[in-house]
Amino acid sequence: DTSRQDESKSKSEDERRKKDEEESKRAEEERKEEEEERKKNEAERKRDEEQRKKDQSNQNNSKDKKEVKAKPYYEDNCSFKPEIVLKVYGDVEDHKIDSVQKAIDELDITTSGIKVPVYILLWEVEGEKGLDKKSAEILKDFIISKFFPNPSADDGMVKHVTEDIINKVQRETITADYYSESCAAAMFIAATNVLDFKNYLGKIVFHEFHHVWDSSFYANSPRGDRENPAWMIEGMAEYDGLIKSMAMNWTNQNYFNTEISNIKSKLISNPSYIDIDKDIFSFCDRCPVSSIERGIVVIDYIMSNYVEADFDTFANKYYSDLNKFGWKKALSNAVGDYAVFKNSFKQYVLN
């Protein structure tokens, strides 16, 4: 009996040790993923900063600063007309394609101010896996030819974008890219099976199109500012996606209110994230409260308490002011003193 007890105890200890090792391994993998995400965000911010310095240097070297205005890249380098084009890769279900097309039909690129074509690249996913390597290469070749129709052989930017595309389309990714020195924009949309409501993929199209529109202000005026808090970037896009979805009767105010209420509860459980200066430029995909979640609560609070105009009018003015004066001045133009606003938002969440 003692021998069996010892054997059972030893087996239990082995199982516990194995479980601890597995948990430790998972924690290490998550730490590595978070570190990779941090490095990616830092690299993107560094590229933006280098571009701003380059633009400022060009401006300072001008003989007549008042008369010189930076030309948008597309004016001298691109010939594609503005349009929205859907490209489907793999066996995407018909109802998903239909949802995306319904959203496209509601978008007007002509009046948006976007001056380049926008390609929506849609692919099927299985689990978290996206396209196979061969299909990913086909997609990459197509969109790179639209982004950079005449790339130089040693163009580091083209190499970076190429590697990024190959990586993200082989998994479940949803993102939008509009580089200021490119001839097209693209929405990369995995046909996710996470569908909160019918035509949810249409909501995703509205969200990602907002990112392209946001980026167009800098592309159209490349001497301007472009730095923006991550919660502002994602909150504006998600708010836009949801109000357009409600206008299409794909969802309703009850869904929206429930989302806001649930996120406020998460903020209360993670009070440090009520401070909108925390992780201000991090997209926080692995934070207790993501930038999308925190952002939509902030934008809903702004729209409900500070803005009388409709959302499109508010967003247009905010992005115009951001380009001219920077994000903090642009936000203050809408909500008043930034420090007072921060405190008011905190009280709103806690009460």
Side-chain angles (χ1 to χ4, degrees):
D1 290 345
T2 302
S3 176
R4 280 197 295 270
Q5 287 176 356
D6 290 344
E7 184 179 345
S8 176
K9 182 178 179 181
S10 176
K11 184 177 181 181
S12 177
E13 289 176 350
D14 287 344
E15 290 175 349
R16 189 161 50 248
R17 187 165 50 251
K18 183 182 286 187
K19 183 178 179 181
D20 290 343
E21 289 173 353
E22 288 174 352
E23 290 179 353
S24 177
K25 185 178 180 181
R26 277 198 300 271
E28 179 63 19
E29 288 174 351
E30 289 180 0
R31 187 194 67 76
K32 287 181 179 178
E33 288 178 1
E34 289 173 358
E35 181 64 16
E36 288 175 2
E37 181 69 20
R38 185 192 66 77
K39 287 180 178 178
K40 180 182 176 182
N41 290 339
E42 184 62 29
E44 289 176 352
R45 288 193 65 201
K46 187 176 180 180
R47 273 201 312 275
D48 290 346
E49 182 63 25
E50 288 173 351
Q51 183 63 48
R52 279 195 296 273
K53 287 179 179 179
K54 178 182 175 183
D55 292 341
Q56 187 63 48
S57 176
N58 290 340
Q59 187 178 30
N60 290 340
N61 290 334
S62 169
K63 292 181 180 180
D64 191 345
K65 297 177 187 177
K66 292 184 179 180
E67 293 298 323
V68 171
K69 181 180 178 182
K71 265 188 173 185
Y73 178 82
Y74 54 76
E75 283 193 5
D76 292 334
N77 298 280
C78 308
S79 59
F80 304 135
K81 67 176 182 178
E83 59 180 337
I84 301 175
V85 179
L86 173 61
K87 299 279 289 183
V88 180
Y89 295 83
D91 297 324
V92 180
E93 296 173 87
D94 289 343
H95 74 93
K96 293 180 178 180
I97 298 174
D98 184 57
S99 292
V100 170
Q101 189 60 56
K102 284 177 179 176
I104 293 173
D105 292 342
E106 293 299 311
L107 297 172
D108 186 353
I109 195 169
T110 304
T111 60
S112 71
I114 299 169
K115 304 298 185 183
V116 299
V118 178
Y119 294 91
I120 300 178
L121 310 172
L122 182 70
W123 67 93
E124 190 57 88
V125 291
E126 183 176 342
E128 295 183 357
K129 293 179 65 177
L131 293 175
D132 59 66
K133 186 68 180 294
K134 182 178 179 181
S135 298
E137 289 283 348
I138 292 171
L139 184 155
K140 177 266 297 180
D141 289 344
F142 169 79
I143 197 59
I144 286 293
S145 73
K146 302 300 181 183
F147 279 167
F148 313 110
N150 300 298
S152 59
D154 60 347
D155 193 332
M157 180 65 170
V158 176
K159 181 180 178 182
H160 164 77
V161 174
T162 298
E163 292 173 351
D164 179 54
I165 291 170
I166 287 293
N167 177 48
K168 63 190 176 189
V169 301
Q170 294 184 79
R171 53 192 172 89
E172 186 168 357
T173 303
I174 297 173
T175 187
D177 292 332
Y178 181 11
Y179 303 101
S180 58
E181 294 188 0
S182 66
C183 292
M187 293 185 246
F188 297 86
I189 300 179
T192 178
N193 293 306
V194 180
L195 306 174
D196 285 10
F197 49 80
K198 188 178 180 181
N199 295 314
Y200 190 76
L201 275 172
K203 188 276 293 187
I204 290 174
V205 170
F206 290 145
H207 176 118
E208 298 304 329
F209 187 81
H210 185 100
H211 285 316
V212 175
W213 179 55
D214 163 7
S215 299
S216 74
F217 284 79
Y218 181 78
N220 294 344
S221 184
R223 288 268 166 80
D225 208 321
R226 68 184 303 181
E227 185 176 67
N228 203 10
W231 48 259
M232 198 72 182
I233 294 170
E234 293 298 338
M236 294 278 273
E238 185 66 1
Y239 188 92
D240 196 10
L242 283 173
I243 62 170
K244 281 183 168 61
S245 295
M246 287 192 284
M248 297 289 289
N249 292 318
W250 296 345
T251 188
N252 53 44
Q253 191 67 46
N254 183 59
Y255 173 89
F256 184 90
N257 292 344
T258 300
E259 287 288 287
I260 297 296
S261 178
N262 290 341
I263 298 167
K264 285 177 68 177
S265 295
K266 287 181 71 172
L267 285 166
I268 291 170
S269 298
N270 300 275
S272 65
Y273 284 89
I274 300 175
D275 179 2
I276 56 178
D277 282 341
K278 178 176 175 59
D279 292 329
I280 190 167
F281 297 113
S282 171
F283 288 95
C284 247
D285 292 336
R286 295 186 178 276
C287 297
V289 186
S290 71
S291 58
I292 292 180
E293 293 172 321
R294 185 161 53 158
I296 193 171
V297 176
V298 175
I299 300 305
D300 181 55
Y301 177 66
I302 291 173
M303 293 303 299
S304 300
N305 295 276
Y306 295 90
V307 178
E308 294 182 359
D310 62 80
F311 176 73
D312 284 346
T313 302
F314 161 69
N316 187 75
K317 184 176 186 331
Y318 175 79
Y319 292 133
S320 296
D321 286 352
L322 182 153
N323 188 263
K324 295 174 185 175
F325 313 119
W327 73 267
K328 192 167 283 191
K329 173 64 174 172
L331 185 58
S332 295
N333 286 347
V335 303
D337 183 82
Y338 179 69
V340 173
F341 170 73
K342 274 181 55 180
N343 186 61
S344 297
F345 175 71
K346 179 179 179 180
Q347 297 307 314
Y348 159 72
V349 173
L350 294 174
N351 294 330

